């Protein structure tokens, strides 16, 4: 059994209440930090841990904290990004719903480390029931003296609020989140200045993901060095994975980074293998924004090494033969899945969620959706495949925020690894008119037709 840091207490009856959480060691990191450590010492522990941002980017959290401007004399803020909107990702919701005080404790300890006296949890608008859970938890924590003025008699003050977002995926980008938190439209800002210098209300600000902040109490209670011993290489600690698709045991799992993809996929402790006797066709390891990988690159890298659940191993080979751990949205497809339809569905999402600020993203996501819809519905043209590659290449790297990249990468990867499936849709439109065309006749059985067909 792997070590649990975030989910070890989640099944204790009543753990979402303050009394039970406190009885099981809750808020110990706040006591230790405020009474025995300086803010800089807490930051150093997080740096030593090697904890990387769990929202998708994987940037070292302690290093991000160390960038915050302490010289200007302006108020500082910590903002928790709970705008979990990546298709295939639901692990932050799980944490907030079932053990909310862990996040509250992490917010207090992390705010102390940053010298922040006013902090926010920005939660997506669709999570209204979770918002109410967090509001109750904050009220309980405040009543017990963990929030407000002069916490534990140490002279440290902290006010913590939950802000509901408007249901926009773009607000998962930290500067768009800040814009929304200020009451404006959630458009990403041009950087620099970075939020660590000029963020919320032009004050120094750190934005971290729910999972990242919820990990801080364990690091403070134990040590950054102990956390760094878990995992593999620069992928230290544990990671929450949201698993879905054609698997026996979908759900949220906490794994030690470095676990093999094969064991995660097939062991009874985790996903339990495929949900039926249908073979594995592809998987997306990190949410809808990362490249899809075909079956032969899932368990082994292109170099023949075991593929591991780590930042480095999943990206081994670059985008040619690798992908990204991302936010941990692990989506599994069997051979009845249509990669063209799946790619079109992702493109619909990114077109809808583009803020429209950057022309390549505003126009390009719309064109990718239209072309993919054309191919999926039997009206594709031979030149459409190269057209898609051209469009995505003009989006990638040419936008203010990563949403453009997130829209472009899945399209490029789908064509890279499943080009013959796109060609099949174009050359045999009568065979894909039925929505479940690969259920009755999986692509492996008909792919020989593509090579025989004349262009």
């Amino acid at each position: 059994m792997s070590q649990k840091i975030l989910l070890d207490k989640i099944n204790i009856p009543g753990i979402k209440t303050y009394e039970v959480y406190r009885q099981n060691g809750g808020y110990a990191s706040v006591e230790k930090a405020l009474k025995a450590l300086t803010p800089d010492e807490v930051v150093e522990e997080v740096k030593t841990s090697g904890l990387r941002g769990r929202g998708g980017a994987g940037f070292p959290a302690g290093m991000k904290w160390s960038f915050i401007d302490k010289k200007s004399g302006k108020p500082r803020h910590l903002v928790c990004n709970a705008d979990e909107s990546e298709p295939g990702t639901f692990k932050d919701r799980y944490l907030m719903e079932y053990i909310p005080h862990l996040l509250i404790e992490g917010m207090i300890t992390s705010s102390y480390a940053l010298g922040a006296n006013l902090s926010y949890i920005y939660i997506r608008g669709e999570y209204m029931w979770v918002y109410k859970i967090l509001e109750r938890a904050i009220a309980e924590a405040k009543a017990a003296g963990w929030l407000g003025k002069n916490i534990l008699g140490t002279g440290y003050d902290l006010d913590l609020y939950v802000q509901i977002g408007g249901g926009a995926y773009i607000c998962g980008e930290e500067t768009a989140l800040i814009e929304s938190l200020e009451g404006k439209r959630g458009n990403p800002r041009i950087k620099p200045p970075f939020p660590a210098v000029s963020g919320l209300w032009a004050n120094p600000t750190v934005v971290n993901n729910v999972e990242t902040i919820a990990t801080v109490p364990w690091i403070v209670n134990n040590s950054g060095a102990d956390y760094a011993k878990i995992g593999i290489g620069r992928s230290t600690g544990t990671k929450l994975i949201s698993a879905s698709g054609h698997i026996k045991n979908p759900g949220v799992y906490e794994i030690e980074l470095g676990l093999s993809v094969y064991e995660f996929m097939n062991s009874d402790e985790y996903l339990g293998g495929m949900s039926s006797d249908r073979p594995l066709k592809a998987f997306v390891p990190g949410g809808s924004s990362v490249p899809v990988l075909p079956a032969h690159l899932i368990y082994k890298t292109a170099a023949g090494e075991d593929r591991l659940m780590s930042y480095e191993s999943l990206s081994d080979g670059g985008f040619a033969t690798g992908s990204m751990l991302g936010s941990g949205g692990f989506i599994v497809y069997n051979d009845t899945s249509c990669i063209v339809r799946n790619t079109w569905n992702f493109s619909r999402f990114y077109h809808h969620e583009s803020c429209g600020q950057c022309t390549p993203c505003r126009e390009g996501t719309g064109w990718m959706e239209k072309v993919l819809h054309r191919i999926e519905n039997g009206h594709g043209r031979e030149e459409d495949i190269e057209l898609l590659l051209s469009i995505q290449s003009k989006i990638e790297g040419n936008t203010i925020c990563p949403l453009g990249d997130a829209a472009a990468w899945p399209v490029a990867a789908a064509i890279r690894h499943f080009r013959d499936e796109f060609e099949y849709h174009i050359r045999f439109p009568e065979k894909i008119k039925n929505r479940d065309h690969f259920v009755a006749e999986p692509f492996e059985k008909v792919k020989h037709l593509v090579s025989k067909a004349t262009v």
Side-chain angles (χ1 to χ4, degrees), residues 432-451:
I432 52 93
K433 286 181 180 178
N434 176 5
R435 178 178 171 81
D436 297 321
H437 47 270
F438 287 155
V439 175
E441 200 173 39
F443 183 63
E444 282 298 314
K445 292 186 177 181
V446 296
K447 66 184 301 182
H448 65 281
L449 297 175
V450 177
S451 58

Side-chain angles (χ1 to χ4, degrees), residues 274-355:
M274 302 298 286
S275 57
S276 67
D277 59 358
R278 306 303 314 182
L280 174 63
K281 178 175 182 175
F283 92 135
V284 172
S288 65
S289 62
V290 309
V292 64
L293 286 180
H296 71 278
L297 290 172
I298 293 176
Y299 297 140
K300 297 285 185 179
T301 67
E305 298 177 351
D306 287 343
R307 183 83 73 180
L308 307 178
M309 296 291 289
S310 71
Y311 290 95
E312 289 74 29
S313 182
L314 284 169
S315 63
D316 185 86
F319 282 176
T321 59
S323 185
M324 296 169 66
L325 180 58
S327 59
F330 197 94
I331 310 171
V332 179
Y333 305 99
N334 68 20
D335 69 339
T336 66
S337 302
C338 175
I339 298 299
V340 176
R341 184 187 304 124
N342 180 74
T343 308
W344 165 58
N345 207 31
F346 284 169
S347 289
R348 281 199 303 154
F349 173 81
Y350 288 109
H351 179 212
H352 182 268
E353 295 298 331
S354 174
C355 74

Side-chain angles (χ1 to χ4, degrees), residues 97-243:
E97 184 173 2
Y98 292 105
I99 189 164
H101 281 281
L102 180 61
L103 175 59
I104 307 306
E105 180 180 356
M107 287 295 293
I108 299 168
T109 305
S110 303
S111 295
Y112 170 74
L114 295 166
N117 301 113
L118 176 59
S119 296
Y120 291 90
I121 299 171
Y122 182 96
I123 191 168
R124 65 179 293 187
E126 292 88 343
Y127 282 174
M128 280 303 299
W129 82 99
V130 183
Y131 161 75
K132 294 175 182 177
I133 291 171
L134 289 176
E135 285 278 78
R136 283 196 299 269
I138 289 173
E140 289 175 332
K142 189 169 185 177
W146 299 103
L147 289 167
K149 300 290 184 183
N150 194 26
I151 300 171
L152 302 182
T154 62
Y156 176 63
D157 306 333
L158 177 64
D159 289 318
L160 177 62
Y161 298 98
V162 185
Q163 176 62 43
I164 304 169
Y169 173 75
I170 193 65
C171 290
E173 196 277 333
E174 61 180 9
T175 61
L177 185 156
I178 290 169
E179 286 282 293
S180 178
L181 195 52
E182 291 179 350
K184 295 176 280 188
R185 192 175 191 272
N187 281 359
R189 296 175 179 175
I190 295 174
K191 296 179 281 190
F194 291 91
V197 175
S198 180
L200 185 62
W201 300 305
N203 294 328
T205 304
V206 166
V207 181
N208 276 135
N209 170 262
V210 170
E211 183 185 348
T212 311
I213 293 171
T215 304
V216 172
W218 192 97
I219 293 171
V220 172
N221 286 332
N222 295 272
S223 73
D226 284 344
Y227 187 84
K229 292 175 184 175
I230 307 168
I232 183 171
R234 294 192 300 112
S235 295
T236 62
T238 66
K239 177 79 182 75
L240 294 183
I241 303 294
S242 313

